[in-house]
């Protein structure tokens, strides 16, 4: 039976990541499936990721907070909860892998794709708030499964919406399998800190991780929002302090490093097969880093207190900007400055080696960042999995607690197993979830545009009115 399941999962992974010709190279079709709507929606929405950026920052700072609006957490907490699921080991190891396999130019294409991902994240979150459900008690249900259920019902296809929503929820349940993050964080800690890997130590690590994740998961979404509001800025500060120190120590070489990254993106000398190779690798890592198009982060954003779906969509566009455009780009510059990408390492050890150039204890800073990233990701994906579980099996305190206990109980297993098959399963589910989500985005594109443009117009009129009032008061 185990062999049958392993073969089945392997076949699914082969299908999901099968490649198609792309300008003389090959690229997984699923990556193009996600990258194309990033560009199309950016053009369709008139580069809203640039022109609405100041408004996005004002919203997340609380300028338009309405305590009486439907929702369970603030818009800032919704952003940090979603960020805690996307800002993770993919940012630390992902940049290193991209540069090692695609050359420094891959980092440039990560930046470009991250820029376009801002719009896709904006539209998918806007749609999720348009079709979220709020019951009389104030509880909120939202995310792509509800977009499909309620949106398709509005179009006159209720049964199709239920089926697609159910498929998406099942895939999210697999995405939320927590063993991958535990296994990766253990491997990182072992590599960087010298932690001895054996059954007893690994089990202890898994139990400790499960305990701290459980403290957050058991508390529910409001507790999750409060914790991530503190943890996300903290983990970003810890990691970026190391990255910025590397950059500061090599300050004079920054122009050369940036020139190498940009030049390598177009020179055709990239390690991954010339210009196209660098582009493909950068695209793959940026898509995985930002998760734009997959829709899972919309589950967290749907909890935001707001009466305007577009307002949370604009908050969400900050997510890829912080996650991929800023954090990944700074990490790439640090790695190129350190030169550690030119060795034999192909993963996070490149980043660890760059940190070690500053001081022998600096890799410990990276270890702390990794643990914070892993913990926050586990907390968020646990919440996503719970919402998918409730969509499939119904709500209630007992059902919710059963899911939470099972989720926390699985965590230590990830520290004990070689889980290549589980990784194939989770990665396949991650990208397959984008199929029904992106279909819904295309189907409701006109409605999303009306919602966003209408909100931008109302805010512009409000700001103009406020400006006129200030002028009148000064006279």
């Amino acid at each position: 039976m185990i062999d049958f399941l392993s073969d089945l999962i392997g076949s699914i992974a082969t299908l999901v990541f099968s490649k198609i010709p792309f300008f003389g190279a090959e690229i997984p079709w699923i990556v193009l499936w996600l990258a194309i709507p990033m560009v199309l929606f950016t053009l369709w929405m008139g580069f809203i990721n640039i022109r609405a950026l100041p408004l996005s920052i004002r919203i997340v700072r609380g300028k338009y907070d309405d305590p009486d609006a439907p929702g369970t957490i603030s818009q800032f907490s919704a952003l940090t909860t979603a960020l805690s699921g996307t800002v993770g080991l993919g940012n630390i190891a992902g940049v290193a892998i991209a540069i090692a396999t695609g050359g420094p130019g891959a980092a440039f294409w990560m930046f470009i794709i991250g820029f376009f991902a801002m719009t896709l994240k904006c539209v998918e979150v806007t749609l999720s708030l348009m079709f979220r459900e709020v019951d009389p008690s104030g509880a909120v249900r939202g995310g792509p499964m509800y977009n499909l259920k309620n949106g398709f019902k509005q179009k006159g296809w209720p049964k199709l919406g239920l089926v697609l929503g159910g498929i998406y929820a099942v895939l999210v349940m697999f995405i939320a399998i927590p063993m991958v993050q535990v296994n990766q964080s253990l491997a990182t800690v072992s590599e960087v800190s010298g932690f001895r890997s054996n059954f007893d130590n690994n089990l202890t690590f898994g139990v400790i991780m499960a305990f701290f994740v459980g403290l957050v998961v058991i508390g529910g979404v409001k507790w999750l929002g409060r914790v991530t509001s503190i943890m996300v800025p903290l983990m970003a500060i810890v990691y970026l302090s190391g990255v910025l120190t590397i950059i500061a120590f090599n300050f004079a070489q920054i122009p050369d490093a940036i020139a190498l990254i940009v030049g390598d993106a177009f020179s055709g000398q990239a390690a991954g097969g010339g210009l196209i190779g660098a582009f493909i690798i950068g695209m793959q890592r940026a898509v995985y880093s930002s998760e734009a198009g997959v829709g899972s982060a919309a589950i967290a954003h749907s909890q935001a207190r707001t009466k305007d779906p577009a307002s949370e969509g604009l908050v969400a566009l900050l997510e890829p900007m912080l996650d991929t455009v800023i954090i990944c780009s700074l990490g790439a510059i640090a790695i190129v400055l350190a030169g550690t990408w030119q060795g034999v390492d192909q993963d996070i050890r490149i980043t660890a080696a760059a940190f070690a150039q500053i001081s022998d204890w600096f890799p410990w800073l990276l270890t702390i960042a990794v643990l914070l990233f892993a913990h926050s990701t586990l907390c968020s994906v646990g919440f996503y999995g719970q919402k998918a579980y409730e969509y499939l099996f119904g709500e209630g305190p007992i059902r919710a607690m059963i899911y939470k206990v099972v989720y926390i109980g699985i965590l230590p297993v990830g520290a004990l197993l070689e889980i290549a098959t589980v990784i194939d399963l989770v990665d396949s589910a991650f990208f397959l979830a984008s199929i029904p989500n992106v279909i819904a985005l295309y189907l409701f594109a006109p409605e999303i545009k009306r919602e966003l443009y209408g909100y931008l117009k109302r805010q512009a009129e409000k700001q103009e009115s406020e400006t006129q009032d200030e002028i009148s008061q000064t006279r």
Side-chain angles (χ1 to χ4, degrees):
M1 184 65 179
I2 297 298
D3 290 340
F4 171 76
L5 288 175
S6 296
D7 291 342
L8 178 62
I9 292 169
S11 299
I12 293 172
T14 300
L15 175 63
V16 172
F17 298 106
S18 58
K19 297 181 179 180
I20 59 176
F22 184 77
F23 292 100
E26 290 187 329
I27 185 171
W29 67 270
I30 196 69
V31 173
L32 277 181
W33 172 259
L34 285 166
I36 289 172
M38 291 181 185
V39 177
L40 290 180
F41 275 103
T42 299
L43 298 176
W44 172 250
M45 299 296 170
F47 287 90
I48 197 171
N49 54 337
I50 297 176
R51 58 194 182 89
L53 192 57
L55 176 58
S56 301
I57 295 172
R58 290 198 299 273
I59 295 170
V60 83
R61 289 177 61 188
K63 181 175 176 60
Y64 307 109
D65 278 357
D66 181 358
D68 298 323
T72 55
I73 56 178
S74 70
Q75 292 184 280
F76 176 74
S77 293
L79 174 64
T80 56
T81 300
L83 274 171
S84 69
T86 55
V87 178
L89 294 179
N91 296 84
I92 301 176
V95 173
I97 292 169
I99 294 176
T101 55
F108 173 83
W109 295 115
M110 283 190 73
F111 176 92
I112 296 299
I113 294 298
F115 168 79
F116 287 105
M118 293 168 65
T119 304
L120 190 59
K121 185 77 75 168
C122 174
V123 298
E124 68 183 359
V125 168
T126 299
L127 184 64
S128 285
L129 271 86
M130 288 168 63
F131 289 115
R132 69 177 178 174
E133 298 176 357
V134 183
D135 66 24
S137 69
V140 177
R141 294 177 290 272
M145 51 273 200
Y146 292 96
N147 301 346
L148 295 160
K149 172 190 168 185
N150 298 325
F152 277 56
K153 182 179 180 180
Q154 185 185 90
K155 294 284 187 182
W157 309 319
K159 292 183 179 179
L160 178 60
L162 280 172
V163 171
L164 290 176
I167 291 172
Y168 183 88
V170 169
L171 292 171
V172 171
M173 290 284 289
F174 284 112
I175 292 172
I177 292 175
M179 288 187 279
V180 176
Q181 287 85 1
V182 178
N183 188 273
Q184 288 182 334
S185 61
L186 173 63
T188 305
V189 170
S190 299
E191 178 66 32
V192 174
S193 69
F195 177 84
R196 185 180 177 185
S197 180
N198 58 46
F199 182 88
D200 290 339
N201 287 345
N202 292 0
L203 180 60
T204 300
F205 177 89
V207 169
I208 292 172
M209 182 71 79
F211 173 76
F212 284 105
V213 171
L215 291 178
V216 179
V217 170
I218 295 295
V221 66
K222 291 183 179 180
W223 178 237
L224 175 61
R226 287 195 292 269
V227 170
T228 56
S229 295
I230 299 171
M231 183 169 262
V232 168
L234 175 62
M235 67 188 189
I237 289 170
V238 171
Y239 174 62
L240 289 177
S241 64
V243 167
L244 293 174
T245 301
I246 295 171
I247 293 173
F249 269 61
N250 299 275
F251 186 79
Q253 285 75 47
I254 292 176
D256 292 337
I258 295 175
L260 176 61
I261 290 171
V262 177
D264 191 65
F266 298 97
S267 68
Q269 301 301 312
L275 185 154
I276 297 299
F279 173 73
I280 290 173
I281 292 168
M283 182 193 301
Q284 287 174 316
R285 301 322 308 172
V287 165
Y288 200 91
S289 172
S290 70
E291 298 184 15
V294 177
S296 55
I299 299 173
H301 284 287
S302 296
Q303 301 293 318
R305 278 195 302 269
T306 180
K307 295 177 182 177
D308 297 295
S311 70
E312 189 62 22
L314 295 180
V315 168
L317 70 77
L318 296 172
E319 196 180 322
M321 185 188 78
L322 295 169
D323 172 78
T324 306
V325 175
I326 295 178
I327 294 178
C328 287
S329 296
L330 289 173
I333 292 172
I335 288 172
V336 171
L337 285 170
T340 53
W341 63 278
Q342 296 174 307
V344 297
D345 292 328
Q346 297 286 314
D347 52 21
I348 196 171
R349 285 173 290 189
I350 294 172
T351 310
F355 274 59
Q357 287 186 357
I358 303 301
S359 171
D360 290 340
W361 64 267
F362 235 61
W364 282 98
L365 190 67
L366 180 64
T367 303
I368 294 171
V370 166
L371 289 173
L372 290 173
F373 281 134
H375 178 269
S376 65
T377 300
L378 287 166
C379 293
S380 291
V381 297
F383 175 70
Y384 299 161
Q386 179 188 337
K387 291 296 138 182
Y389 170 87
E390 291 174 348
Y391 178 89
L392 292 168
F393 302 109
E395 299 179 5
I398 296 177
R399 287 189 177 97
M401 187 56 65
I402 289 173
Y403 174 82
K404 292 174 182 179
V405 170
V406 171
Y407 179 79
I408 295 166
I410 293 174
L411 282 168
V413 179
L416 300 175
L417 300 178
E418 294 291 336
I419 53 170
T421 301
V422 176
I423 291 175
D424 282 344
L425 176 62
V426 172
D427 283 353
S428 298
F430 178 87
F431 284 103
L432 283 173
S434 70
I435 295 176
N437 183 53
V438 171
I439 288 173
L441 296 181
Y442 284 136
L443 185 63
F444 292 99
E447 290 92 334
I448 297 170
K449 187 172 185 177
R450 281 197 297 271
E451 171 65 29
L452 282 165
Y453 274 48
Y455 181 75
L456 290 176
K457 182 180 179 181
R458 292 194 301 274
Q459 291 303 316
E461 291 172 349
K462 183 185 296 185
Q463 190 169 7
E464 183 178 351
S465 176
E466 291 174 354
T467 302
Q468 291 298 325
D469 289 342
E470 290 176 1
I471 294 173
S472 299
Q473 290 173 5
T474 58
R475 289 177 177 173

